[in-house]
Amino acid sequence: MLRTTRALLTALVLLTAAPQVQAAEKGVFFPETFTLSNGMQVVVITNRRVPVVTHMVWYKVGAADEERGHSGLAHFLEHLMFKGTDELPPGAFSRIVAKNGGKDNAFTSWDYTAYFQSVARDRLELVMRMEADRMANLKLTDAVVYPERDVVMEERRQRVENEPADKIGEQINATLFVHHPYGTPIIGWPQEMAAMTREEAEAFYKRWYAPNNAILVVSGDVSAEELKPLAEKYYGTVAAKPVPERKRVSEPPIGAERRVILRDAEVRQPSIRRLWHAPSYRTDKDGNAYALQVLAEIMSGGATGRLYRSLVVEQKLATSAWLGYGASSWDDTTLSMGATPAPGVDMDKLEAALDAERTKLLKDGVTPEEVATARKRMLTEAAYARDSLSGPANALGQALATGQSIDDVESWPVRIDAVTAEQVNAAARAVLGKNNHVTGLLLPANHKGS
């Protein structure tokens, strides 16, 4: 259920792209949209290829909206949303979806919480009725809440504390974001998770879960004309209510390089990663977000990317090398670089080579030819995004939950196609030229140095 990595957020960015390559025009998913009388936004992406739909409800609240000292509450509530209403006993929601041949799940991020079902077209009304029911009528008792708290704490032990890569990732985030809630893990800190109560979960639910703070996205074998009566029948009857403004602290200026080193007996493959603060779509004041996406494609676009070609193919220092950036975030996001060493390669040597690539980029920049090739490749790779059922629903839901508009999503190809080499170089200097980054080294327990 938990989505803790920004790798997922980077992958979703590629879905907001153009169906045309040679002439980038406005238009990606061509959604229809309307708003219910209670303020709930509804988005429909029609795809008639198969009689199946993906139904998603996105709440504009996530782990970064928790009160300080109550980490993990948003993700905890995600679990509790499956614990029933007066109409459905605990666990019945998923059982009914499965019995009707569908799949369902949910995930929590720092900025949103989403619930989804993939079902046959003739089962759409069923899942809409159940989802609208738990939007308004969740019933929590001590008997279901506290055992589920134990489940979530075990999830943390299995997914974070027993996984060195996730463990160091958590520590890197906490070191990069020293004040902003993005430095707090989505699943929560263990001592705060252990103190979560039914009353806190109920208060969080009543504060944030409302139709006017939610987005319904349906992708598949349905049109807006067909969906609207069902949306009005089920979601339209849920009363709107006041929702708090999102208030988050800003990150203080930090000009120091920082290092996080984790030595663990479970590590079989060491790695290095380095993170910088970077603007998201919403916080981008200098027009760098689209240029950074092109930069990521130039540096990390598969086997032809600069980092892979240099570190893996030519120097044979690494088995993988990458640069990642995801622009969909309510507040500032991150840009990251990393690599895993080839057998026998010293980590200090790999780090020096990775840093040399950054220095070369900042000094010499990228060429217009590289930018043109990257733009074309991005548009080509994304040309088939609309063929997916879940992909468009994920992309639009994420975008709308983090402050973008449908017009922003549909304008993506035009904006990417307008990126120049000068803009990419300026964006690289603005982010990679700073020394406020965090370097994380994941090493075997007996590793010496660094």
Side-chain angles (χ1 to χ4, degrees):
M1 290 186 181
L2 183 63
R3 297 293 185 268
T4 59
T5 68
R6 290 184 179 268
L8 176 62
L9 305 185
T10 301
L12 289 175
V13 167
L14 292 177
L15 294 173
T16 51
Q20 299 292 329
V21 175
Q22 294 181 348
E25 298 177 353
K26 182 177 178 180
V28 181
F29 303 117
F30 303 96
E32 300 175 274
T33 186
F34 56 89
T35 302
L36 301 178
S37 59
N38 57 12
M40 185 176 190
Q41 184 177 7
V42 182
V43 181
V44 184
I45 310 106
T46 303
N47 184 335
R48 300 292 190 183
R49 287 175 174 80
V50 290
V52 176
V53 294
T54 292
H55 170 273
M56 303 191 76
V57 172
W58 297 72
Y59 291 96
K60 291 181 279 188
V61 61
D65 299 299
E66 298 159 345
E67 293 183 6
R68 193 170 183 85
H70 298 270
S71 63
L73 197 54
H75 175 245
F76 185 35
L77 179 59
E78 176 213 310
H79 278 243
L80 296 177
M81 283 289 282
F82 292 86
K83 295 305 177 183
T85 66
D86 287 338
E87 296 294 324
L88 293 173
F93 192 110
S94 294
R95 288 196 300 269
I96 292 172
V97 172
K99 184 178 180 180
N100 283 272
K103 296 181 179 180
D104 79 310
N105 213 323
F107 52 88
T108 304
S109 180
W110 281 283
D111 297 317
Y112 48 77
T113 310
Y115 302 83
F116 65 92
Q117 304 85 37
S118 293
V119 294
R121 169 66 176 82
D122 61 2
R123 300 298 193 273
L124 175 58
E125 184 171 1
L126 171 66
V127 297
M128 291 180 73
R129 175 175 58 79
M130 295 193 299
E131 194 68 79
D133 179 35
R134 68 177 174 180
M135 174 183 282
N137 303 310
L138 182 65
K139 299 295 182 183
L140 299 179
T141 64
D142 289 356
V144 298
V145 168
Y146 293 107
E148 194 63 28
R149 185 178 66 183
D150 294 337
V151 169
V152 175
M153 293 182 68
E154 179 61 24
E155 181 182 350
R156 177 183 168 82
R157 284 189 286 269
Q158 292 297 321
R159 293 195 175 190
V160 180
E161 295 168 14
N162 293 336
E163 293 290 340
D166 290 330
K167 188 188 300 185
I168 192 172
E170 183 177 271
Q171 294 300 316
I172 291 171
N173 274 339
T175 306
L176 183 68
F177 293 99
V178 300
H179 191 46
H180 190 278
Y182 286 168
T184 301
I186 294 168
I187 199 167
W189 296 116
Q191 75 280 9
E192 294 175 0
M193 296 169 67
M196 293 186 299
T197 67
R198 173 180 58 79
E199 291 82 4
E200 289 174 330
E202 287 177 331
F204 195 86
Y205 171 73
K206 292 176 181 178
R207 184 179 306 123
W208 294 103
Y209 278 50
N212 48 307
N213 197 43
I215 307 155
L216 170 63
V217 186
V218 182
S219 175
D221 189 16
V222 65
S223 67
E225 183 180 6
E226 294 166 327
L227 185 72
K228 189 171 184 179
L230 296 175
E232 291 174 337
K233 178 179 180 180
Y234 294 108
Y235 293 106
T237 59
V238 180
K241 58 186 178 185
V243 176
E245 179 185 356
R246 282 179 153 174
K247 294 182 179 180
R248 298 179 181 175
V249 296
S250 299
E251 192 69 9
I254 295 177
E257 299 179 22
R258 289 153 286 170
R259 294 176 76 82
V260 176
I261 301 173
L262 175 62
R263 293 180 173 86
D264 194 295
E266 297 298 319
V267 174
R268 298 293 178 266
Q269 177 62 65
S271 63
I272 179 173
R273 66 180 103 167
R274 183 172 290 171
L275 271 67
W276 289 260
H277 290 281
S280 66
Y281 284 130
R282 183 175 171 272
T283 64
D284 184 21
K285 298 177 181 178
D286 300 314
N288 288 330
Y290 295 95
L292 288 173
Q293 292 174 66
V294 176
L295 173 65
E297 181 64 26
I298 292 171
M299 299 298 292
S300 195
T304 60
R306 276 195 183 189
L307 290 176
Y308 186 92
R309 190 172 65 247
S310 175
L311 298 184
V312 178
V313 178
E314 297 172 359
Q315 300 184 60
K316 295 181 172 34
L317 296 175
T319 58
S320 66
W322 46 267
L323 183 148
Y325 169 72
S328 293
S329 182
W330 186 260
D331 294 314
D332 279 349
T333 182
T334 61
L335 186 147
S336 58
M337 292 179 68
T340 54
V345 173
D346 184 78
M347 289 298 291
D348 290 339
K349 186 175 182 179
L350 179 62
E351 182 176 358
L354 192 66
D355 202 47
E357 292 299 320
R358 178 181 75 116
T359 301
K360 178 182 177 182
L361 171 65
L362 295 176
K363 179 183 177 183
D364 301 332
V366 300
T367 67
E369 292 75 19
E370 285 180 306
V371 171
T373 300
R375 291 195 314 247
K376 181 178 180 180
R377 191 163 58 235
M378 293 168 73
L379 297 176
T380 299
E381 290 175 353
Y384 303 102
R386 203 167 186 270
D387 291 344
S388 166
L389 289 179
S390 60
N394 269 292
L396 278 163
Q398 183 187 28
L400 296 173
T402 53
Q404 288 190 278
S405 66
I406 287 179
D407 185 70
D408 289 328
V409 175
E410 294 298 282
S411 297
W412 189 92
V414 175
R415 294 172 183 176
I416 284 292
D417 206 40
V419 171
T420 66
E422 290 76 14
Q423 290 172 323
V424 173
N425 291 330
R429 290 192 296 269
V431 176
L432 294 171
K434 295 180 179 178
N435 290 323
N436 60 352
H437 54 72
V438 174
T439 301
L441 292 169
L442 181 61
L443 307 170
N446 59 356
H447 187 275
K448 305 298 181 181
S450 297

